[in-house]
């Protein structure tokens, strides 16, 4: 049987070993309601407080600015709705880049959105972003680094321009937390534990003190009134442990994964008519995207799966809506034959070498089958 | 103007058909590609950029490509 190699860490990572230990311990000690005054409740409260302090430190935030949500998407929805509601008197206008996560586009669609275009590597211009801000702009949203092509956005420059106009900036930091330093200047920040090696079902919503915010839900006594109901405490504890562990060796992992991605970028570019997209340098350490001319993206994902490699694609045939990735479209790059490879701490050099050995033959075979050889 | 009907065909078929058909028009002439696949709007201009051909724009499902070389 072929050994399976998961190359889609940007969708979700296997649980970090440290998180597994923390999860089991928290199932023992963190089952009680942290709001209760008896001993078990106080024990649970200590675990929750510790997790919050730990995550806050990783984000450069104060613990009372950080709330846990059921997942990254609810953090984004809650963050956008809450900031917009807090500034409802200013207006309903929201500015975002054309390459945000689809959750941002969905939440912005409830308001009055302006999408700022990106260049061919997928980066917004801070000046173009600033020019889109208006007197009725309630908030702006910018992804810290693209989950689809890896390009890092000029968050600090955009944040400075938003501050100058008094507009709060929501930064979607899902792909950078635990991997890279969190950029400065955010008013609201969101993340997802599943992307840093924590369990699924934990999102993070951080709101800077002083930012006007009104919860999207009826306000209750949980999570500063910003995310309703109790958190999944054992999962939150495991998420915080995974984040501490990821940050402890993030510099070494950054160096290791960057070198592997550089190797993939160089090798894939040698395959005829394959275009590597996204910024080659100012990028996430672990992610690379390329498009193979004349190849069907779904066939490519399935053929690689049959060879033991699990990758994803932004091609229309692989999406539930049958539309191509809005990120690739915004960049003006080829959307068919698209593959996103994202590495993790479990990815070895041998995995990458094997992938690079297999890929050219798969691309050539699919082109041949499509009658597209020699075009 | 020569017309290439790719209606109902999913990407990358319209781009493959375009690559096959463009050499059949004279240099400087325009080929019209009909495609209702949503990916064509991105992929036909991207193909023109990669192949050094001239993308002349689209009107609904009709895409115009001028053979530059």
């Amino acid at each position: 049987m072929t050994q399976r190699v998961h190359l889609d860490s940007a969708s979700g990572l296997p649980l970090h070993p440290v998180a597994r230990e923390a999860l089991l311990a928290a199932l023992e000690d963190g089952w009680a309601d942290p709001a209760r005054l008896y001993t078990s409740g106080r024990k649970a409260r200590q675990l929750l407080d510790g997790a919050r302090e730990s995550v806050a430190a990783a984000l450069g935030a104060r613990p009372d600015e950080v709330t846990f949500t059921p997942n990254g998407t609810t953090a984004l929805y809650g963050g956008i709705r809450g900031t917009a509601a807090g500034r409802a008197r200013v207006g309903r206008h929201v500015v975002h880049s054309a390459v945000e996560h689809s959750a941002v586009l969905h939440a912005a669609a409830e308001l009055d959105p302006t999408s700022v275009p990106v260049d061919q590597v997928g980066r917004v211009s801070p000046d173009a972003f600033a020019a889109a801000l208006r007197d009725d702009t309630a908030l702006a949203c910018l992804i810290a680094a693209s989950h689809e092509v890896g390009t890092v956005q000029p968050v600090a420059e955009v944040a400075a321009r938003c501050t100058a106009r008094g507009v709060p900036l929501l930064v979607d930091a899902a792909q950078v937390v635990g991997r890279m330093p969190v950029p400065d200047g955010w008013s609201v920040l969101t993340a997802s534990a599943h992307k840093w090696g924590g369990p699924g079902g934990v999102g993070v919503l951080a709101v800077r003190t002083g930012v006007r915010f009104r919860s999207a839900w009826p306000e209750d006594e949980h999570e500063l009134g910003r995310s309703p109901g109790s958190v999944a405490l054992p999962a939150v504890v495991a998420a915080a442990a995974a984040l501490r562990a990821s940050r402890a060796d993030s510099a070494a992992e950054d160096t290791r994964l960057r070198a592997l991605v550089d190797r993939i970028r160089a090798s894939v570019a040698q395959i005829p008519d394959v275009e590597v997209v996204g910024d080659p340098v100012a990028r996430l350490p672990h992610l690379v995207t390329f498009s193979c001319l004349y190849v069907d993206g779904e066939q490519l994902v399935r053929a690689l799966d049959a060879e033991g490699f699990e990758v994803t694609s932004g091609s229309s045939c692989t999406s539930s809506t049958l539309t191509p990735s809005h990120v690739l479209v915004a960049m003006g790059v080829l959307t068919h034959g698209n593959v996103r490879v994202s590495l993790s701490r479990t990815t070895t050099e041998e995995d990458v070498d094997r992938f690079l050995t297999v890929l050219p033959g798969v691309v050539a075979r699919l082109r041949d089958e499509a009658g597209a050889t020699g075009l | 103007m020569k017309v290439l009907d790719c209606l109902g065909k999913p990407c990358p078929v319209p781009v493959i058909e375009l690559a096959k058909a463009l050499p059949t028009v004279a240099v400087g002439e325009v080929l019209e590609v009909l495609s209702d696949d949503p990916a064509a709007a991105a992929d036909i201009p991207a193909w023109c950029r990669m192949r050094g051909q001239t993308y002349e724009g689209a009107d609904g499902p009709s895409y115009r490509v001028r053979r530059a070389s």
Side-chain angles (χ1 to χ4, degrees), chain A residues 120 273 275 293-296 322 324 332-336 371 375, chain B residues 11-12 15-16 19-20 37-39 42-43 46-47 49-51:
Chain A
Q120 209 176 306
D273 292 323
E275 199 174 39
L293 190 61
Y294 306 136
V295 176
D296 179 295
L322 293 179
V333 298
L334 210 59
T335 71
H336 69 248
L375 288 178
Chain B
C11 262
V15 178
I16 294 174
K20 286 179 178 170
D37 187 283
D43 288 1
W47 180 85
R49 175 176 55 73
M50 291 170 80
R51 281 288 182 267

Side-chain angles (χ1 to χ4, degrees), chain B:
Chain B
M1 189 165 48
K2 194 165 178 178
V3 178
L4 183 67
D5 184 354
C6 296
L7 293 171
K9 294 178 182 170
C11 262
V13 176
V15 178
I16 294 174
E17 298 295 320
L18 165 61
K20 286 179 178 170
L22 198 64
T24 68
V25 306
V27 171
E29 294 297 305
V30 172
L31 175 68
E32 183 183 11
V33 185
L34 299 178
S35 174
D36 49 6
D37 187 283
D43 288 1
I44 290 176
W47 180 85
C48 291
R49 175 176 55 73
M50 291 170 80
R51 281 288 182 267
Q53 305 295 346
T54 310
Y55 178 63
E56 296 275 332
D59 188 8
S62 158
Y63 299 85
R64 291 177 311 282
V65 176
R66 190 178 298 276
R67 185 176 169 195
S69 58

Side-chain angles (χ1 to χ4, degrees), chain A residues 58-61 142-145 152-160 169-191 208 284:
Chain A
L59 304 180
L142 184 60
I143 193 163
V152 168
Q153 299 294 339
V155 173
E157 292 90 329
V158 167
L169 177 68
L170 180 148
V171 174
D172 170 6
Q175 293 297 341
V176 303
V177 172
R179 296 187 181 279
M180 297 170 77
V182 173
D184 283 335
W186 54 270
S187 301
V188 180
L189 182 131
T190 61
R208 282 279 187 228
L284 290 167

Side-chain angles (χ1 to χ4, degrees), chain A residues 53-285:
Chain A
E53 281 163 22
S54 171
V55 170
L59 304 180
R62 285 173 22 179
D64 64 359
E65 295 173 331
V66 173
T67 57
F68 295 109
T69 65
N71 52 56
T73 297
T74 46
L76 281 171
Y77 288 170
I80 292 169
R81 280 187 171 180
T83 310
R87 285 176 48 87
R89 288 209 318 213
V90 172
R92 291 168 43 78
H93 184 233
V94 51
V95 175
H96 60 76
S97 85
V99 296
E100 297 302 306
H101 190 277
S102 56
V104 171
L105 305 186
H106 292 145
E110 295 186 329
L111 301 159
D112 170 19
T114 295
S115 178
V116 181
V118 294
D119 62 16
Q120 209 176 306
V121 297
R123 181 173 292 117
V124 287
S125 134
D127 288 339
F129 201 98
L133 301 173
R134 308 192 310 220
D135 290 342
D136 65 336
T137 304
L139 81 151
C141 305
L142 184 60
I143 193 163
S146 172
H147 58 303
E148 289 203 35
V149 300
T151 300
V152 168
Q153 299 294 339
V155 173
E157 292 90 329
V158 167
R161 285 161 173 80
C162 289
T163 303
R165 291 291 300 264
V167 173
L169 177 68
L170 180 148
V171 174
D172 170 6
Q175 293 297 341
V176 303
V177 172
R179 296 187 181 279
M180 297 170 77
V182 173
D184 283 335
W186 54 270
S187 301
V188 180
L189 182 131
T190 61
S192 167
H194 202 25
K195 315 289 190 197
W196 72 60
V202 180
V204 176
L205 169 62
V207 181
R208 282 279 187 228
T209 307
V211 173
R212 284 182 177 275
F213 193 92
R214 194 159 72 230
S215 174
W217 292 278
E219 288 191 22
D220 61 23
E221 68 281 20
H222 298 284
E223 295 301 300
L224 309 165
R226 289 179 188 150
S227 185
S230 310
V231 300
L233 182 55
V236 164
V237 171
L243 184 52
R244 279 194 301 273
S246 298
R247 291 184 76 222
D249 66 357
S250 67
E253 274 295 277
D254 188 284
T255 305
R256 189 180 79 86
L257 296 179
R258 262 178 210 283
L260 289 178
V261 165
D262 281 339
R263 188 187 300 190
I264 297 173
R265 291 183 75 97
S267 174
V268 163
Q270 297 300 311
I271 305 172
D273 292 323
V274 173
E275 199 174 39
V276 184
V277 301
D279 195 301
V281 179
R283 60 165 173 82
L284 290 167

